[in-house]
């Protein structure tokens, strides 16, 4: 135990010590935020008391339409993601707490950046709960990307990486469609992890496994995401029947992917047993796959089929694609975001092209005659938007990765990846529990690891 | 440890291996669901874009009335039940994850079956969030019944047992009253467990106890159920003051049963200490007991009294009736659903007869003259409905139990009851923690077990 | 282990045995509650069926405005507080379950007391969900005070201490302003703990530390409080833009205090590592600091500044003031409520004086001329109200502390503080985990303890 402690001390006394770096960065960011708030941010029509008149009906304030969705997405971001990312045996603090820190700053940052893009007039950003919802979507992008480098980055790096939000607003909004946030987040994260490649992790890491309690907490996080995903998918769709359909389709898609995930997990894992990693991740695929067409009249059966399809792609991705990416392409995708958000996002976007066209045709009957050509053009346009999103995200991610390699950002050494002791004062029982390698974790257990074959002994 | 591992392997290589059975069953069910969706399911008036006109006000869409209650009940089903059922030391995965699987399929299945019974016209089932709420009630029935056989059934058996929903719709809706779902669920579950009787479990099982962490998680589940129970009890009552009263009465009833549960727990347990099993279960009794009269003008005091009464019955049931049922009547009610849902449901139904009559009289003054006779008749009708619900539930449960005894359904052997290792790839620390028997669990600890005297040394 | 067990037995066989005391007290309280309900409580205009007419629109019932906020605050009280208070390694049951018991009774008790003060006319207390929301605020006061004596009081003492609610209604409502609940709660709790001073605890206690799992659960509680805090701060403000601003300001204040807490934690803790105790507590300071001006037009930048300011005061309080209070002033503030609710509450109240005056001036232009004098007077009046709140709270707390020293209230001995075994049947693994002292907890770990220097080796 002694030499181990000495190593941590050495580590924290040098490159990974947060004492100066983290406060310096945070205070600098906070000063920037508060100055921008003071100079540029004011209330919008629904929060400005001076714009309310005798005729204003308080109950018609937008807050009553927006706040319930805001609260639901808050649950997903802080509780759902927080628990889900706590699946490592010795990185529970890091998973939950760095998620908390990153999300909090991401939302503040997004309020300002999207404010300039979308809520800026008369020289001011105008603020209401609707801005917070939009900022939460930007934050979700960040947290998805975070999954690619979980356990391998310091809080300083995480805060620096929030440049992502700038790239995001450069790109996503010209293409429209909330599904692109999954695709963007995924390829951005992959770009970062490509640059931060750590060869030694491809041979496994003694702390890169779960414990009984961490698996329980992580699946609890999945359930929170599952329960509130309909709110996420409908929050920015049109009010009324559009939002109603978005809820239905999301629920049906998630249900289909959940059932499929259990089937595939038993089928593809060794001994015919279920894997908690599958239950934690693959069950959610349907929520992404229905995303691009979630408010359209696609029929419930199509939502169901999309859920099954997305789940299957996600599962096969975890099983075959992720190990390949890690070993051959230097892409160590820690949580498998390429499976849960990338593949499913691609499927969703492509699958939405036809119903989008049909709906367009419905709305503008004049299109009917020339639909053949228009449809092809429109489809190509959609695919081009998808391609350019991927390209920008990957390039942005790689640039950000380069930035994160700068010295002084407290990057953990390979040895201290997935280890709470590096950045936290840990309780006395932390070093009492046997570490995975003593227990033969690398042999008997499913891993969220990408360089290792994940339960491939079929 | 070695022979133990070999046993698991043997078990999973043979009768309890899910590799073929679970995927085969799930895929068959999914094909059935998707075909039924494609042929029979369409959008209802609030989700069909084609039925919206220029006059439609989006904010008057039913989704804004229904979705909040839907989301609350989702929390109860996936988070509340999931955590509550994770109380076994070594069956946390099973409790939370099989709840997830069962609930997901039960809701899909209920959407279709209740769709044919209640939302079918013009050759189609018409779908909106209101259907999902109704399906969640059917799902709650399934999860309550599940409590009777927790830890003793495979996921294949759980999915097969969802025939329950068919029986449910055959019966419950002709009698009316959401309270019957508790009574039906209880006697159905007891019917199943009666057939699946395992004599050896009456002598205790080495893994049939809780751990410190599992007790914490389970009581957290109780709290989620407690917090959202008012939404459950009011979701299907009339809008307006009825729903308002339902919330009040549920809250008051739960509060009364919670206080009473603490008092009785200290009074009836050995050494005058509190039992976590009581806190996890008995506190919730009041939510059931107020159920049948929840929207009536029964007065807050009556709601309080119902909570105290239900709690007392539930507590005494756990203490004296459950052991008797297990030893003498072959009814091994694992979670004590007969106490929390059966006894309380009976009390609730009987207690609601008088205010129902009074309310009837209020509405139809003409009844006044002959109320004496009408009241008696009405009361008898209610009791007959209750009796026939119990009978059908018990018979349906027993038939389902027989079905579950068919080979190939991966039923766990006695040895592997309450053991996650049978159906899950478990983390490396799973076999590190000492099992209960080594710790003398059967002597010093409260048990959720029914064959054993539960804390009877007063 | 043997002598340890014998001690517990001895303890519970004598002074700390709940068998008679707890049931006797609870049943007495329940009889009192049900009699008061029966005699004095009836439905209000929104829950009384007899007051609904043909003209009543059900969807305009107050329940649809009030219930969502009620449910959110329920989550804070039962889940958020429950988890947050479970941070001790061996007092998780106590933290979560005594919070459950105390909150349940506090709300019932507050419904009656505030009913007499605020909802009483025609000889009756009139009940609707709005009463429940008000009662939840009274309950929050109790739970905050509870933090000062966590782990050092029996459930009997906790129920007796609910006299607090009487004091509360004597004082808070004449001064107005929900921020006073934090100040009142804090000084009441400090008054109690001053009287219950336990000198031996100033030298540390072997069980007064956290475990990895308890820290995880506790930070989860923090996240629930964080997510729903905007609902808490806006529930009793005016509908419309006021409520909208309250949500925005709370969110911004919390975000600012969260970022600041991470910065200060890394800066002030040994080795430049983060402390979970800071993440669990100090992050929330901003929610309190914005409280007194939460619905005013203070600007988003001011909300941000208030969050940073409150967080800094709270952090310095934990670091320097709490140890001083414990060692020199006999005030052992177990959870540091003086930092999270006291200092922040004072800042909030003082910071709100100017915008309150400005708003007053806006509304009543006539004030303008004489504003100088009026403002000074008004400010003095506010400060006087604050002072008298503190005085009454402290005196009330000390009186309650004296009451709690009465015999027969099952007060735990010093040895059995922070120990679930005293009041609960604990699972078999409870005594397996090594206790803190064996692990050197007092040396290597952050403590929530107040008599000890908390991470002072800068």
């Amino acid at each position: 135990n002694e030499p181990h402690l000495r190593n941590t001390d050495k580590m924290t006394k040098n490159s990974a010590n947060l004492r100066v770096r983290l406060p310096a960065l945070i205070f600098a960011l906070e000063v920037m935020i508060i100055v921008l708030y003071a100079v540029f941010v004011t209330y919008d029509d629904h929060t400005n008391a001076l714009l309310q008149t005798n005729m204003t009906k308080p109950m018609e304030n937008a807050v009553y339409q927006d706040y319930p969705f805001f609260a639901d997405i808050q649950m997903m971001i802080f509780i759902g993601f927080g628990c889900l990312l706590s699946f490592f045996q010795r990185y529970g603090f890091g998973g939950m707490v760095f998620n908390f820190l990153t999300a909090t700053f991401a939302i503040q940052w997004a309020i300002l950046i999207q404010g300039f893009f979308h809520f800026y007039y008369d020289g001011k950003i105008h603020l209401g709960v609707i801005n917070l919802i939009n900022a939460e979507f930007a934050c979700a992008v960040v947290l998805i990307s975070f999954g690619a480098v979980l356990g391998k980055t310091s809080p300083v790096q995480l805060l620096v990486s929030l440049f992502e939000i700038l790239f995001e607003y450069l790109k996503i909004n010209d293409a429209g469609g909330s599904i692109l946030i999954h695709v963007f987040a995924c390829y951005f994260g992959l770009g970062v992890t490509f640059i931060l490649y750590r060869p030694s992790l491809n041979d496994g890491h003694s702390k890169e496994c779960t414990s009984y309690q961490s698996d329980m907490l992580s699946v609890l996080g999945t359930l929170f995401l599952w329960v509130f995903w309909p709110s996420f998918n409908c929050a920015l769709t049109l009010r009324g029947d559009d939002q109603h359909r978005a809820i239905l389709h999301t629920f049906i898609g998630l249900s289909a992917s959940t059932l499929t995930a259990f089937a595939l997990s038993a089928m593809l894992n060794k001994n015919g047993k279920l894997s908690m990693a599958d239950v934690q991740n693959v069950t959610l695929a349907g929520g992404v796959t229905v995303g691009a067409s979630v408010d359209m009249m696609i029929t419930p059966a199509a939502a169901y089929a999309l859920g099954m399809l997305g789940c299957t792609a996600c599962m096969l991705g975890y099983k075959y694609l992720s190990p390949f990416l890690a070993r051959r392409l230097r892409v160590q995708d820690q949580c498998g975001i390429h499976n849960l958000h990338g593949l499913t996002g691609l499927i969703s976007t492509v699958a939405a092209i036809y119903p989008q066209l049909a709906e367009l045709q419905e709305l503008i009957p004049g299109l009917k005659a020339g639909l053949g050509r228009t449809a092809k053009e429109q489809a190509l346009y959609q695919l081009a938007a998808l391609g350019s999103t991927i390209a920008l995200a990957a390039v942005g991610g790689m640039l950000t990765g380069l930035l994160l390699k700068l010295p002084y950002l407290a990057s953990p050494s390979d040895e201290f990846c997935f280890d709470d002791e590096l950045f936290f004062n840990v309780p006395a029982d932390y070093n009492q529990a046997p570490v995975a390698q003593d227990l033969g974790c690398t042999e008997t257990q499913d891993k969220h690891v990408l360089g290792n074959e994940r339960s491939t002994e079929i």
Side-chain angles (χ1 to χ4, degrees), chain A:
Chain A
N1 218 359
E2 267 300 89
H4 174 72
L5 277 173
R6 255 185 275 121
N7 283 344
T8 327
D9 286 351
K10 202 172 140 197
M11 188 77 192
T12 53
K13 283 222 171 73
N14 295 288
S15 62
N17 190 312
L18 302 177
R19 167 142 326 139
V20 177
R21 289 160 233 222
L22 188 65
L25 177 63
I26 289 181
F27 287 135
L29 292 170
E30 286 198 295
V31 168
M32 185 190 68
I33 290 175
I34 204 170
V35 168
L36 291 173
Y37 262 118
V39 178
F40 288 113
V41 180
T42 188
Y43 299 107
D44 74 6
D45 293 2
H46 293 276
T47 46
N48 192 334
L50 306 175
L51 300 180
Q52 315 303 310
T53 69
N54 290 340
M55 308 293 292
T56 310
K57 295 183 186 164
M59 290 310 298
E60 290 180 359
N61 194 294
V63 71
Y64 302 109
Q65 294 181 27
D66 295 333
Y67 184 57
F69 294 110
F70 168 66
D72 286 359
I73 302 174
Q74 286 281 91
M75 288 287 280
M76 294 178 76
I77 284 180
F78 290 92
I79 312 282
F81 270 108
C83 291
L84 180 62
L85 294 177
S86 302
F87 64 86
F88 282 126
Q89 183 188 23
R90 306 228 158 184
Y91 198 67
F93 290 0
M96 191 174 282
V97 169
F98 292 154
N99 178 73
F100 183 20
L101 171 64
T102 310
T104 302
F105 179 59
I107 295 176
Q108 290 300 312
W109 190 216
I111 286 172
L112 292 164
I113 296 185
Q114 57 136 17
F116 284 112
F117 279 89
H118 295 298
F119 299 96
Y120 190 82
Y121 55 88
D122 298 343
K124 292 280 185 185
I125 294 166
H126 293 75
L127 199 64
V129 168
I130 188 69
N131 305 49
L132 304 190
I133 294 180
N134 276 285
E136 282 180 318
F137 277 84
C139 170
V141 168
V142 168
L143 299 182
I144 292 167
S145 303
F146 175 24
V149 294
L150 183 74
K152 300 181 297 194
T153 38
S154 74
V156 178
Q157 289 177 302
L158 290 172
L159 292 180
V160 167
S161 74
L162 292 181
F163 273 101
E164 175 167 8
I165 289 176
L166 249 178
F167 285 103
E168 204 181 311
Y169 281 104
L170 282 179
K171 184 63 209 171
I172 287 188
N173 290 282
D174 74 301
S178 71
I179 193 61
L180 285 185
I181 72 173
H182 294 281
V183 174
F184 182 94
C186 165
Y187 289 99
F188 189 96
L190 298 190
V192 174
T193 200
F194 176 80
I195 299 294
L196 299 185
Y197 182 64
R198 292 171 184 259
S200 83
L201 294 191
N202 271 354
D203 305 320
H205 187 288
S206 73
K207 298 203 179 79
E208 199 182 9
C209 45
T210 66
S211 69
Y212 198 64
Q213 295 305 326
S214 73
D215 266 329
M216 289 296 293
L217 195 60
S218 184
V219 80
L220 191 62
T222 300
L223 292 171
F224 276 105
L225 292 172
W226 204 96
V227 163
F228 291 111
W229 207 296
S231 293
F232 184 82
N233 271 2
C234 82
L236 297 182
T237 62
L238 290 177
R239 303 279 157 189
D241 60 300
D242 287 75
Q243 216 158 29
H244 203 156
R245 279 193 301 281
I247 289 168
L248 277 190
H249 293 154
T250 307
F251 181 79
I252 293 171
L254 281 171
S255 298
S257 71
T258 298
L259 295 175
T260 311
F262 277 92
L264 293 176
S265 187
M267 202 167 92
L268 299 179
N269 281 306
K270 63 185 172 192
N271 300 324
K273 292 183 180 185
L274 297 167
S275 148
M276 285 301 273
D278 297 336
V279 177
Q280 286 152 9
N281 295 286
V282 186
T283 52
L284 295 169
V288 185
T289 336
V290 298
S293 46
V294 78
D295 54 348
M296 300 176 191
M297 293 282 290
I298 54 170
T299 78
Y304 202 97
L306 280 171
M308 290 182 70
L309 187 64
C311 174
T312 307
C314 177
M315 187 78 187
L316 296 176
Y318 270 109
K319 196 143 193 57
Y320 303 109
L321 193 53
S322 289
F324 174 81
L325 290 178
R327 291 197 172 279
R328 302 300 164 87
L329 302 184
R330 303 172 26 124
V331 177
Q332 294 168 321
D333 175 7
Q334 204 61 42
C335 296
I337 61 170
H338 188 249
N339 311 307
L340 185 49
H341 300 277
L343 297 176
T344 50
L346 297 177
I347 291 173
S348 185
T349 314
V350 172
I353 290 177
Y354 176 74
Q356 276 171 351
L357 297 177
E359 214 146 272
L360 213 61
Q361 180 190 4
E362 202 96 24
L363 292 168
I364 318 166
L367 275 179
K368 211 164 188 176
L371 183 69
R373 211 176 72 100
T374 314
K376 219 180 270 170
E377 281 174 17
Q378 176 68 12
L380 287 175
Y381 174 77
Q382 299 270 345
L383 292 176
L386 180 64
S388 71
T389 298
I390 292 174
L392 184 86
V395 170
M398 286 190 282
L399 291 175
T400 304
L402 289 171
L403 193 67
L404 298 191
K405 286 194 121 176
L406 290 179
Y408 304 113
L409 299 187
S411 177
S413 68
D414 286 3
E415 184 193 359
F416 285 100
C417 285
F418 321 116
D419 192 337
D420 277 334
E421 203 172 359
L422 186 60
F423 295 123
F424 291 92
N425 291 323
V426 291
D429 66 344
Y430 180 84
N431 277 311
Q432 288 305 110
V435 290
Q437 98 199 94
D438 306 335
L439 297 172
C441 144
T442 48
E443 311 223 1
T444 65
Q445 191 192 0
D446 266 6
K447 306 262 292 265
H448 287 255
V449 160
L450 305 143
N452 297 290
E453 290 79 13
R454 190 164 162 290
S455 4
T456 42
E457 320 164 18
I458 301 195

